[in-house]
Structures are given as structure tokens and as C-alpha cells.
């Protein structure tokens, strides 16, 4: 279909939100409450996003279980977890605002698990000094999405009463893929896409777009992400002229299922370790004690007796090393398996059955019990699970201005949630994503609303529409070209083998060459059949996005000659304090991704002073320490 020759479906809104996970829905609520009309567009069914899959909980320093907790402790933990590469302002806003966002969810109808005193219960998680994750069993993301959907329906009902049409001000367009963000005169003008069911094209005009498309896991072979995690928003932003920051940092969650093959990569929540699960190798050794890095030695127990006592008395004992940040645990498991101490299926054992009674496991970890029982035939109340690292989360993402979530360099473009970069530095702490979605989703909705009120409409020209329509048509007009499934499988092999959990210069260089080759061949991808119900058609677009993401990751990884968080270089095994001073900024010139190093904003004095200077010496150069933060 050439869109100009037939009747093109067109919609006009003040704000478009691409993505209906936690970040997108929170942004939509905020923009609507600012009085604007909002379209929420998602490529899956409404209610089906990664946010729904979040199990462990949402990190917020409410201090309900340990009243020593506060935003400053949370801020410190987040910066430590990210190895001080985080954008300090994002980590600060997140730590300060997360408790309010959790309370707000309760006022909208969420019901978190309670303590005996009736407060919102909070559980332990890796890298968090105190019990901090508000949770609903191990189905926290489901409650978050359910509540936010309920809030949107409430807003629609209010609009129905006021304007006679429930969808007059906020409407959901589900199963609709956005293929392009449109600009006119250098500013955002809308987005273009197609309905997945029919293949028919659709134009959305709006002066502001919030990208909230989540992560990139499907770029890798073993991942906890679902089919939606193809890095669309990262690529859409790059193509629209925005930057990505620090794309070398991918989080390999230490515990994905490893068996049977059909479920390889599916997440085993960190709550299993938070609730007392221990990791052992094939020799029965509780191996994590061997892998406590120097920077964490004062916080983590180096013997079993102390680690076990911590579950009863957290004030007088150090934490078990199973609760180290994810990057540390993932590397440790990887090393054990490589050293030949792995399980039959290439993982290690995670056992919760020895410490917790069966009925408590079923109450606190119901989804995990079901998941292993149904998918692997393992009863986790009696036996150990087999687990291994899985590509889980991307720390890199769209470079944004922290207070407004505005994408740097593109007026009218905003990004929030997993697609945005900066907040988590080189490694995200578990539980920090769900509150990131709420804090920065809200800020993105407010930022976009503010922008629209001053910028006004920016109509899309016919030539822009034609170019977007031609790109959708292109793969249908090629006969006998490349197959998108084969190219995707090739890409996943390259990323898994050459820019995965452990990297070296020669491997990354090989990856860059191979990704370039796949990208050249992808220009000739042909789609057989028509547009209706055609997954090959969908993958042709997803592939283009994943290739850009992979190129950005590989090129950033090549430049960073150190190991930090979710980036481990076998040829540069240590952290290097000089490297901590730079972010890697990816931009796209229409042909390839280019990377430049950019100085990291310096911690302001009041945040610098929250840390013991001896701790900062582990991360900062003597010159930085001497400055004592910026004024
Ligand atoms: C199994 C699992 C468990 C997790 N557990 C936790 C946890 O306990 N605590 C925690 O803090 N974090 C957890 N995380 C991470 C967290 O869930 C995600 O980082 C977070 O939910 C991402 O939210 P989001 O709103 O950014 O994107 P998502 O929830 O991924 O939503 C993305 C949306 O964008 C849409 N979309 C994508 N591309 C397009 C396109 N081209 N056009 C239109 N729509 C598009 C999708 O359809 C979807 O609606 C977990 C992740 C997984 C996978």
C-alpha cells in the first residue's frame, strides 16, 4: 500500500507515548493530568510488557522494615552498584522520589504485601543495604501494570463523563508497531507505523513523543526478555538524531533457567537469593565467598556462619555474598562453569529448600514454584534449581536531561524507563527499574506536557509521510533476498559469542565486522507473502533495530579498556578510575554508529559528602578526590 494513494489512517494528539510498560503508562497519566490528549501505542497487547514480568519488587527507601533506610543510603547503594558511572542527578531524583511513587500507586489501588504492623513490606535484594523492595509476592510488576491500567480507565471514565467519549483524551493503540519517529523543521512532529494484524499503515501527528519501549534482550541468544525486547526505541531515537549513552553495559542476570532448552534464559528472580537461596557448584561448594571483590569486602560476609546469621541479625553481621550486585554474581557463575564445576546442563545450583519451609516458599515465591514445577519438573521446595547467566537488562540508552527526561538534541523527544540511559551507570541494582519507570515516566510525561504547551503543533509534510511509507513497502518489493530469521540467528550468535558476558579486543573487532556484514545483507531482506499476520514482515523491522543496537554495543565495548559493571574485558580485567570519568555517546550518521567519549558530570559537593572519602578513593582519581565534588 502506498499511503498517499490510499486513505491513510491518521490521528492527532498532543503527546504520543510509545510503549505501554510501567514507564509509558506513568508518562501517559502525567501528560493527561496536565490537560493534554495522549495516545499510548504498543506493539503487543495492552497489559503485556516486560513490566508485567517483574517479580522481585520495586526499590524505595521507605524504611518500613529497617528504619535506618533513607534516600541517601539508597542513593549510595545505587551509585556503588553502577560503579559510579551513573548520572548522579538521575540516581538522586530516583532515590528521593521512589517512596512517593510507591505510595501513589497504593492510592491508585495497588496492594503491596504487608509487615506484621500493617506497613508495606520490603524485602532484601542484591546491593541494597537494607530491606527495600516493596513487593506483591513475586508478581510485583503485574500489580504495577494492573494498577496503572486501572488508573487509565479511571481517567477515561472521567473524560467520558466530561466530553461524552471515553477515548477523547487518552486512547490505547495496541498491537501497533512504530517504525519511525517523524520530524519537521528539526523538531518532533509524530510517528509512523503499522497495525500488526493487518499490516495497514498509520500516522500519528504530535509535537511530543515519549519513547518507553523497554530493552534490547532479543539482540542476544539467551535472554529473559520476551519477543518485544528488540531495542526499537533505542534505534528509533538514534535515527531521529538523539544519542545513546554507554551501550557497552548490558546486565547478565546471574540466574536464568538453563534446562530444559525450550525455557533457557527465563528468569529466576533474585528474591530466591534475597529469601535465603544459596549458590553451590557441582562439588557442593558454596563458591560465592571466593568472589567478593575488594570494594565490597567490608559489606559482605566471608564465611558461612556470618552469612547465615545475617538473615536473623542484619545490624551485626555482613550480608551473604549471594547478594552481591548482579554483575559480580554472574561473573562468578560464569567462572565456575568455565572451570568445569558446573552442573550437567552448564549452570550452578541454587537452593532455597534447605533454609525455608515448603509452605513459606510457596507463599513468598509462588511464581518460581510454578515455573520450575511446570517447565522443568523440579519442586523447589525439595530440590535445588539449575541456573546460569541470561541477558536481562540494558543499562545504556537514550541520553536524557535528568529532570525532564528530554532526549538531548531533539526538541519534543522524551525517553523513560529501560530505554533511557544514565540512571544505573554500569550496572543496575535489582528493584531499581520498577521505581525508575515510575519516577522518570512521571517526569517524562510532565516534561512532554510542558514542551507541548509552549511549542504548539508541528504538522507532518507529505514528503515525510511518503518516505516513511516507502520504507515499510521496501522489503515486499525485493524478490529472493535475505531471510530475516537467518540474519537474526546469526546476529544472536555474534553477540552471544563475541560481545557477551566476557569480552576481548579481538573478539569485539570480529563482532563489529560481522555485524557490519549482517547489516549490509539486511538491506536486501525480502518478505514473502502479504502484510496480514506476517511475522517475517515484523522481524524485518525489528532486525534493523537490533543491528543498530548491537553495533552501538560492540563499538562502545571496544573503546572501554577496563572492566566495570556489565562490561567485562578479559584483556583489561580491572576497573580503571580514569575510565570512570567518561561516558560513551553513540550517534548515527545515517550510515553507521559513531562513538565519542564525553566527560561524566562531576558529583556536586553535597552528594560527594554523603560518601566516606576512603570509599570514593576506590572509584575516583586523586585529582577528583582533591576537588571534593563540584560547587
Ligand atoms: C523476567 C523479568 C523480571 C524482572 N524483574 C524485575 C524486578 O523484580 N524489579 C525491577 O525493578 N525490574 C525487574 N525487571 C526489569 C523491568 O521489568 C524492566 O526493566 C521494566 O519493566 C521495563 O519497563 P519499560 O516500561 O521501560 O518497558 P516494557 O515494560 O518492556 O514495555 C515496553 C513497551 O514498549 C512497547 N514497544 C516496544 N517497541 C515498540 C514499537 N516499535 N512500537 C510500539 N510499541 C513498542 C512494547 O509493546 C511494550 O508495551 C525484570 C525484567 C524481566 C524481563
Amino acid at each position: 500500500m502506498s499511503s498517499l494513494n490510499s486513505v491513510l489512517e491518521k490521528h492527532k494528539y498532543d503527546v504520543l507515548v510509545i510503549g505501554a510498560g510501567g514507564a509509558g503508562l506513568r508518562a501517559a497519566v502525567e501528560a493527561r493530568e496536565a490537560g493534554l490528549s495522549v495516545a499510548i501505542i504498543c506493539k503487543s497487547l495492552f497489559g503485556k510488557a516486560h513490566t508485567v514480568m517483574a517479580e522481585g519488587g520495586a526499590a524505595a527507601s521507605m524504611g518500613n522494615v529497617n528504619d535506618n533506610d533513607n534516600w541517601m543510603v539508597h542513593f549510595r547503594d545505587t551509585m556503588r552498584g553502577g560503579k559510579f558511572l551513573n548520572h548522579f542527578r538521575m540516581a538522586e531524583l530516583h532515590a528521593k522520589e521512589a517512596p512517593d511513587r510507591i505510595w501513589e500507586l497504593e492510592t491508585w489501588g495497588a496492594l503491596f504485601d504487608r509487615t506484621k504492623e500493617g506497613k508495606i513490606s520490603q524485602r532484601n535484594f542484591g546491593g541494597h543495604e537494607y530491606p527495600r523492595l516493596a513487593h506483591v509476592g513475586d508478581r510485583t510488576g503485574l500489580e504495577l501494570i494492573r494498577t496503572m491500567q486501572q488508573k487509565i480507565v479511571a481517567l477515561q471514565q472521567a473524560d467520558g463523563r466530561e466530553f461524552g467519549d471515553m477515548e477523547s483524551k487518552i486512547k490505547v493503540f495496541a498491537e501497533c508497531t512504530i517504525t519511525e519517529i517523524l520530524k519537521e523543521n528539526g523538531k518532533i512532529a509524530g510517528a509512523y507505523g503499522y497495525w500488526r494484524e493487518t499490516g495497514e499503515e498509520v500516522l500519528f501527528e504530535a509535537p511530543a513523543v515519549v519513547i518507553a519501549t523497554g530493552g534490547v534482550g532479543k539482540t542476544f541468544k539467551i535472554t529473559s526478555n520476551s519477543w518485544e525486547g528488540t531495542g526499537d526505541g533505542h534505534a528509533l531515537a538514534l535515527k531521529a538524531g538523539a544519542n545513546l549513552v554507554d551501550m557497552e553495559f548490558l546486565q547478565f542476570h546471574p540466574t536464568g533457567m538453563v534446562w530444559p532448552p525450550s525455557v533457557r534464559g527465563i528468569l529466576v528472580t533474585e528474591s530466591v537469593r534475597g529469601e535465603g537461596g544459596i549458590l553451590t557448584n557441582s562439588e557442593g561448594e558454596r563458591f560465592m565467598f571466593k568472589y567478593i571483590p575488594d570494594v565490597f569486602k567490608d559489606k559482605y560476609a566471608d564465611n558461612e556462619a556470618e552469612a547465615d546469621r545475617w538473615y536473623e541479625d542484619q545490624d551485626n553481621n555482613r550480608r551473604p555474598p549471594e547478594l552481591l550486585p548482579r554483575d559480580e554474581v554472574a561473573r562468578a557463575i560464569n567462572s565456575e562453569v568455565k572451570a568445569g564445576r558446573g552442573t550437567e546442563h552448564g549452570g550452578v545450583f541454587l537452593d532455597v529448600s534447605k533454609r525455608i519451609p515448603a509452605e513459606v516458599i510457596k507463599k513468598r515465591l509462588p511464581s518460581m514454584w510454578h515455573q520450575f514445577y511446570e517447565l522443568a519438573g523440579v519442586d523447589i521446595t525439595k530440590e535445588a534449581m539449575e541456573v546460569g547467566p541470561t541477558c536481562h537488562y540494558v543499562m545504556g540508552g537514550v541520553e536524557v536531561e535528568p529532570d525532564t527526561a528530554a532526549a538531548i538534541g531533539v526538541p519534543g523527544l522524551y525517553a523513560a524507563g529501560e530505554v533511557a540511559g544514565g540512571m544505573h551507570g554500569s550496572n543496575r541494582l535489582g528493584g531499581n527499574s520498577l521505581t525508575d519507570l515510575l519516577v522518570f515516566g512521571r517526569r517524562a510525561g510532565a516534561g512532554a506536557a510542558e514542551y507541548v504547551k509552549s511549542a504548539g503543533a508541528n504538522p507532518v509534510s507529505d514528503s515525510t509521510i511518503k518516505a516513511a511509507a516507502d520504507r515499510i513497502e521496501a522489503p515486499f518489493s525485493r524478490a529472493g533476498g535475505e531471510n530475516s530469521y537467518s540474519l537474526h540467528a546469526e546476529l544472536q550468535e555474534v553477540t552471544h559469542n563475541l560481545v557477551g558476558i566476557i569480552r576481548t579486543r579481538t573478539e569485539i573487532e570480529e563482532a563489529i565486522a560481522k555485524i557490519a556484514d549482517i547489516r549490509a545483507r539486511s538491506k536486501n531482506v525480502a518478505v514473502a507473502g502479504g502484510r496480514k499476520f506476517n511475522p517475517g514482515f515484523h522481524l524485518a523491522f525489528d532486525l534493523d533495530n537490533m543491528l543498530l543496537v548491537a553495533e552501538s554495543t560492540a563499538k562502545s565495548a571496544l573503546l572501554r579498556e577496563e572492566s566495570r559493571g556489565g562490561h567485562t574485558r578479559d584483556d583489561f580485567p580491572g576497573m580503571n578510575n580514569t575510565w570512570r570519568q567518561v561516558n560513551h555517546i553513540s550517534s548515527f550518521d545515517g550510515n553507521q554508529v559513531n562513538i565519542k567519549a564525553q566527560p561524566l558530570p562531576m558529583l556536586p559537593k553535597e552528594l560527594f559528602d554523603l560518601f566516606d572519602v576512603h570509599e570514593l578513593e576506590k572509584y575516583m582519581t586523586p585529582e577528583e578526590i582533591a576537588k571534593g565534588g563540584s560547587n
Side-chain angles (χ1 to χ4, degrees), residues 181-202:
I181 288 171
L182 307 176
K183 291 199 312 190
E184 295 292 349
N185 308 311
K187 296 186 289 194
I188 289 297
Y192 201 82
Y194 66 89
W195 291 103
R196 294 176 76 83
E197 194 177 336
T198 62
E200 296 287 334
E201 291 161 36
V202 52

Side-chain angles (χ1 to χ4, degrees), residues 18-24 41-44 49-51 53-57 176-178 212-214 224-225 228 232 267 392-393 417-418 428 431-434 437:
I18 308 175
I41 307 159
C42 52
K43 71 180 186 179
S44 53
H50 283 105
T51 305
M53 298 156 78
E55 294 157 350
C176 179
T177 296
I178 293 300
T213 47
S224 64
N225 288 192
E228 291 161 274
D232 295 10
L267 196 74
H392 182 56
Y393 186 90
E418 190 169 341
R428 173 182 71 96
N432 267 0
S433 174
L434 288 190
L437 312 180

Side-chain angles (χ1 to χ4, degrees), residues 607-622:
L607 297 179
F608 185 98
D609 288 344
L610 293 179
F611 294 91
D612 180 325
V613 79
H614 296 302
E615 177 173 15
L616 292 179
E617 280 163 3
K618 298 174 191 166
Y619 299 98
M620 295 185 180
T621 61

